[in-house]
Amino acid sequence: MDKYEVIGTLGEGSFGRVYKAKQLSSGEFVALKVISKRGRSAKELKGFRRECEIQRDLHHPNIIQMLDSFETENEIVVITEFAHTELTSVLGKVGYLPEEKVQKIVWDLVSALYYLHSNRVLHRDLKPQNILLDINNIAKLCDFGFARNMSTGTHVLTSIKGTPLYMAPELIDEKPYDYTADLWSLGCIIYELLMGTPPFCTSSILHLIRLIKYEHIQWDTLSTFLSQNCTSFLKGLLQKNPSKRITWNEILVHPFIKGHVNIAKKTPPQSLTRPLSPNTSQAKEQQRKESMKNKLSKIPSPKPVETPSTSKTSKHSSEQQKKLNSQDMQNNNAHLDVDVKITESTDQKSLENDLSNLRISSIKTIEQLSQGSLVKSTLQTFNFIEDNQPIETDEWIAFLTRTIQEIIDGELVSLTESSQANVIVSPLRNPNATSKVLNFVARLLSIPFVIKDVNQDCLTKIRKVYLEVKLVPNLVYACKLLLRECREDSSSDLSSPINSPLPLGVERYRKLSELSEDDFQAIQHIFTLIAHLVHIDDDFLLQFCDSVVVLSVYLLVKLLLSLNVKAKLRIVADVLAVLTRLLKQLPENGDVVVKIISSDSDHPDNAPLDLVDLLKHSEPLMRERTCYFVLWLSKTQQFNVVRSLWNVSIKDTLEALMYDSMETVRNAAECTVIELKSKDYYREIK
């Protein structure tokens, strides 16, 4: 580092920081990427070193040149050439670019990508954030953290990498893919440069996945803004079927590109840009089939999203619906119970470790583009970076206890500012945090909703902060860390699968009998808080859905539903409340609930969901919530989903509950039976 003078910070991410610096010997500006080794696994560090190896061998005017790299005891430092501007900052200022300017950037990007593919390198994370502009406005690709050098004889890959907004459909479907996945991402970038928004854009990962898989791009609308050559080129890149996507031979002669691709003098014999021979094509298809066979043996095939069915109504439906809505609101709004003993406090240590999150902003719809108005949207994805710093349990509990007392006394500043709330939330993503610490964190964060005299403006600020710090995803992540059997993923890929937007590997959790009472107490308070949050704001519910998908915790949630209901009533009741709320408010995401209740594994505690046992529970709250769960499952899911759970015992029990001693249970059962009577599977059972 003695050779460089650091001038300022260029950016910061989960990996570390990037600085602008001056090389003392030459006076030239460079970029220093400093990656901290602290808290990194050997697997992660190997991935960073692989990135250096790949980038060191890349030499092209449209790729950021790596100049040097070295390691210290605590850091990996990478020195690259300096580019003055980020493409995202340009888009942030102007929203979109005219076609003639975009075309020049496309020439640069195609040149860089052709060079990579010629050398059998897949970038796998093409996005505007990874494109820089130098002082002459020449575009250059950077960030090869997800890049993969395909060895000779390898024709398809399966590990999922990239950013969801720019991810190809074959990756979304977890199918084998090749270099054409980069071409799709290139198409998404070009589309965004021209139109101000990626071709598929939404605030939910689940909704984004569905759009990429099933929605069509409105090319007729685009043709009013773009030239014929540009539209034709985009159509070629944005073909959902990778076999129909434009090939390199076609790209090089396309009128939008022809004559402007900077091609290296020599192309290796096994270049990905050359057409495959018949024998190679056959080998590629065989690899694809074998990869799919291996994946299908581990992960259930994704099913198309089905449109929720519309139920028939009876003459009592209007009255019953009003009653249902009223009672459902009372029933599902979880009541928080916070009982924390105040103990002696000590000084707080440095505890903060921020959760990195990705924000995509400055988004325009096509219709608003013509009017010149700008609409901002955010795709919330989660980088669950573990904080492996040691945790002193006693000191943390003392700090949390002192903070609890401050909140009870009316000093709520620690929960109304994101930076301070992040300190409190940080143990939720630390595998070294004990159950007692997690318990205190969940209770502390629940206090504003149960103490008196907290004004509405303050609660609104707290809800906003909880959304900003991704509290619900962090709570779900804490449960996964608490229950998981081992910390190493089964994936052979060197990059951490937790950073992938889609699930990889197999869920492995401890036996429920191995969990301590402290573990169960922590889980109980975590899900009580989640249940309350998802009922006061649907944004929390959306974050819950996305975190279940990102973390692939379907089995975990099902295991919590299969707990001994008598001993763990509150956990099961709150999980049911969350899933019922999901079905009711976000029926389009109901497939998450279906995957949870149908989750299959060899875990010793995994068993079919026993609805009869829940409906016959001695506690009225459990009987009532189970009725509503069955009701909304039947209202929002297709025939085969409910029928797979349905039997004569459930029918008889529901009808018996219409005469329950508790009015709330009677009302819930009556609403459910009225809804179910219109279903064929209900009438079929005598």
Side-chain angles (χ1 to χ4, degrees):
M1 293 291 288
D2 295 338
K3 299 178 182 178
Y4 305 96
E5 176 189 354
V6 176
I7 297 173
T9 303
L10 294 174
E12 186 172 359
S14 58
F15 62 86
R17 292 183 177 178
V18 180
Y19 300 93
K20 180 180 180 180
K22 181 185 290 186
Q23 193 170 22
L24 297 178
S25 60
S26 64
E28 293 183 358
F29 291 119
V30 295
L32 299 182
K33 184 176 183 179
V34 181
I35 302 163
S36 175
K37 293 181 181 179
R38 296 182 63 186
R40 302 288 183 187
S41 66
K43 185 177 180 180
E44 287 177 310
L45 293 177
K46 191 173 182 180
F48 287 129
R49 294 185 182 108
R50 183 190 63 174
E51 177 185 354
C52 294
E53 292 172 3
I54 290 177
Q55 195 166 0
R56 184 179 289 112
D57 294 330
L58 300 177
H59 304 283
H60 191 276
N62 297 116
I63 293 175
I64 289 292
Q65 180 65 48
M66 177 177 163
L67 304 175
D68 193 9
S69 68
F70 57 87
E71 294 190 33
T72 66
E73 183 179 353
N74 298 316
E75 297 169 328
I76 298 175
V77 182
V78 181
I79 299 97
T80 67
E81 68 172 304
F82 175 73
H84 290 71
T85 309
E86 295 181 352
L87 187 58
T88 50
S89 66
V90 175
L91 281 176
K93 292 176 182 178
V94 299
Y96 67 98
L97 301 174
E99 183 178 321
E100 57 271 18
K101 287 189 177 181
V102 172
Q103 188 174 28
K104 293 180 180 179
I105 294 175
V106 172
W107 295 342
D108 293 337
L109 297 181
V110 170
S111 298
L113 205 54
Y114 185 84
Y115 173 80
L116 291 178
H117 290 178
S118 294
N119 287 277
R120 300 189 66 81
V121 174
L122 272 61
H123 191 283
R124 302 201 297 177
D125 195 23
L126 288 175
K127 56 186 178 182
Q129 292 89 335
N130 289 339
I131 299 169
L132 304 177
L133 302 175
D134 69 8
I135 196 170
N136 297 314
N137 284 326
I138 294 174
K140 296 173 179 279
L141 279 184
C142 66
D143 197 340
F144 290 80
F146 283 161
R148 170 70 185 270
N149 200 330
M150 292 180 70
S151 58
T152 303
T154 300
H155 303 291
V156 294
L157 299 175
T158 56
S159 58
I160 300 174
K161 296 290 174 260
T163 303
L165 283 170
Y166 310 93
M167 187 175 287
E170 59 267 30
L171 273 77
I172 294 291
D173 276 333
E174 300 183 71
K175 293 179 179 178
Y177 63 93
D178 56 21
Y179 72 91
T180 58
D182 276 349
L183 297 179
W184 169 277
S185 300
L186 175 64
C188 291
I189 293 171
I190 299 170
Y191 188 105
E192 182 173 1
L193 291 175
L194 291 162
M195 310 306 293
T197 172
F200 304 104
C201 191
T202 175
S203 60
S204 163
I205 293 176
L206 282 170
H207 188 213
L208 176 65
I209 290 171
R210 284 193 285 271
L211 290 177
I212 293 174
K213 290 172 67 173
Y214 305 115
E215 190 70 22
H216 296 291
I217 297 173
Q218 301 299 318
W219 295 113
D220 291 342
T221 306
L222 286 176
S223 62
T224 63
F225 296 98
L226 307 176
S227 69
Q228 183 177 351
N229 285 341
C230 183
T231 304
S232 169
F233 187 64
L234 269 180
K235 282 184 178 180
L237 294 171
L238 294 176
Q239 288 290 329
K240 296 198 177 189
N241 185 339
S243 66
K244 295 182 179 179
R245 216 164 282 159
I246 191 171
T247 65
W248 274 115
N249 277 356
E250 295 168 328
I251 289 174
L252 295 180
V253 298
H254 194 281
F256 195 67
I257 294 295
K258 186 176 181 180
H260 296 281
V261 179
N262 188 341
I263 300 177
K265 294 182 179 178
K266 293 183 179 180
T267 302
Q270 300 297 325
S271 168
L272 298 176
T273 61
R274 293 186 175 182
L276 300 180
S277 67
N279 288 340
T280 308
S281 296
Q282 185 177 359
K284 178 178 178 179
E285 186 59 29
Q286 183 62 32
Q287 286 183 16
R288 189 184 301 277
K289 289 179 180 179
E290 290 175 357
S291 297
M292 284 301 296
K293 183 178 180 180
N294 292 335
K295 185 169 286 291
L296 288 172
S297 68
K298 297 179 181 179
I299 303 175
S301 300
K303 299 178 181 179
V305 178
E306 297 171 327
T307 304
S309 59
T310 303
S311 61
K312 299 178 182 178
T313 57
S314 68
K315 62 181 179 180
H316 302 292
S317 62
S318 178
E319 180 181 346
Q320 290 296 333
Q321 186 66 33
K322 291 179 181 178
K323 186 185 296 185
L324 182 155
N325 289 337
S326 174
Q327 292 175 357
D328 180 56
M329 178 68 71
Q330 296 173 15
N331 169 64
N332 284 322
N333 273 283
H335 298 288
L336 299 176
D337 179 19
V338 181
D339 179 20
V340 182
K341 294 181 180 179
I342 307 302
T343 59
E344 183 178 354
S345 62
T346 58
D347 292 336
Q348 175 195 2
K349 283 191 171 184
S350 177
L351 305 170
E352 185 169 3
N353 189 332
D354 291 337
L355 174 67
S356 173
N357 58 73
L358 172 66
R359 292 185 177 275
I360 310 298
S361 59
S362 300
I363 304 299
K364 292 187 178 185
T365 62
I366 294 175
E367 292 81 3
Q368 290 161 334
L369 185 65
S370 61
Q371 300 171 3
S373 61
L374 183 65
V375 174
K376 293 185 178 180
S377 178
T378 301
L379 172 68
Q380 297 176 340
T381 63
F382 314 112
N383 278 334
F384 291 97
I385 307 300
E386 291 181 15
D387 175 9
N388 288 305
Q389 298 298 319
I391 276 189
E392 296 292 338
T393 299
D394 291 341
E395 292 182 6
W396 258 101
I397 290 178
F399 159 66
L400 293 169
T401 301
R402 187 176 72 247
T403 308
I404 287 171
Q405 188 60 63
E406 291 173 354
I407 294 171
I408 292 174
D409 292 340
E411 299 178 21
L412 300 172
V413 65
S414 58
L415 300 182
T416 56
E417 294 185 3
S418 296
S419 59
Q420 295 192 45
N422 241 327
V423 175
I424 297 169
V425 169
S426 61
L428 298 176
R429 52 184 177 269
N430 192 319
N432 299 315
T434 64
S435 304
K436 288 184 178 180
V437 171
L438 298 179
N439 195 350
F440 267 75
V441 170
R443 290 185 175 193
L444 185 158
L445 294 165
S446 303
I447 292 175
F449 305 111
V450 295
I451 60 175
K452 297 180 179 179
D453 302 325
V454 180
N455 64 57
Q456 192 59 45
D457 288 342
C458 186
L459 286 175
T460 300
K461 287 182 181 179
I462 291 172
R463 289 202 299 269
K464 182 179 179 182
V465 168
Y466 283 8
L467 285 168
E468 288 177 356
V469 301
K470 309 294 188 296
L471 176 56
V472 168
N474 275 285
L475 290 168
V476 175
Y477 191 35
C479 283
K480 181 166 187 172
L481 293 178
L482 193 61
L483 270 68
R484 70 180 179 180
E485 182 181 273
C486 58
R487 288 163 56 177
E488 288 297 324
D489 189 89
S490 60
S491 170
S492 62
D493 197 280
L494 295 175
S495 297
S496 172
I498 286 179
N499 291 327
S500 174
L502 294 178
L504 292 176
V506 180
E507 296 181 78
R508 297 190 182 278
Y509 301 110
R510 293 188 286 163
K511 295 179 182 178
L512 297 178
S513 59
E514 296 175 357
L515 300 180
S516 67
E517 278 306 307
D518 285 339
D519 293 335
F520 284 120
Q521 281 290 317
I523 295 169
Q524 175 181 317
H525 284 96
I526 284 172
F527 263 91
T528 298
L529 178 55
I530 290 174
H532 183 76
L533 292 173
V534 303
H535 280 85
I536 62 174
D537 194 324
D538 283 351
D539 285 338
F540 287 116
L541 186 59
L542 196 58
Q543 286 191 352
F544 174 79
C545 292
D546 285 348
S547 59
V548 169
V549 174
V550 172
L551 291 169
S552 187
V553 291
Y554 306 102
L555 176 60
L556 182 150
V557 180
K558 186 181 181 184
L559 291 177
L560 296 182
L561 279 175
S562 65
L563 287 170
N564 183 311
V565 187
K566 292 183 179 179
K568 310 300 176 190
L569 165 68
R570 193 53 184 266
I571 295 176
V572 180
D574 285 335
V575 172
L576 269 180
V578 172
L579 299 184
T580 303
R581 184 71 174 178
L582 193 164
L583 290 167
K584 180 181 178 182
Q585 297 299 113
L586 300 175
E588 67 275 13
N589 290 351
D591 53 331
V592 173
V593 178
V594 174
K595 287 183 179 180
I596 288 170
I597 61 179
S598 62
S599 183
D600 187 25
S601 83
D602 58 359
H603 193 284
D605 296 310
N606 185 37
L609 182 62
D610 191 344
L611 290 173
V612 174
D613 187 43
L614 297 176
L615 288 167
K616 290 183 176 180
H617 196 273
S618 58
E619 285 292 331
L621 177 67
M622 183 59 67
R623 301 198 298 274
E624 182 186 354
R625 290 193 175 180
T626 307
C627 285
Y628 282 121
F629 177 74
V630 174
L631 168 64
W632 288 104
L633 192 67
S634 64
K635 284 176 74 72
T636 61
Q637 296 306 303
Q638 289 294 321
F639 171 83
N640 60 329
V641 173
V642 184
R643 187 170 185 174
S644 65
L645 300 171
W646 189 252
N647 57 52
V648 67
S649 297
I650 298 176
K651 178 181 179 181
D652 291 345
T653 306
L654 280 170
E655 291 178 347
L657 289 177
M658 295 174 68
Y659 305 96
D660 193 89
S661 60
M662 299 296 295
E663 182 181 3
T664 55
V665 178
R666 292 198 302 270
N667 291 337
E670 182 181 358
C671 292
T672 305
V673 170
I674 289 174
E675 170 66 27
L676 289 172
K677 280 185 176 179
S678 65
K679 309 295 182 182
D680 291 338
Y681 54 80
Y682 189 92
R683 296 191 297 267
E684 287 173 1
I685 297 180
K686 303 298 183 183

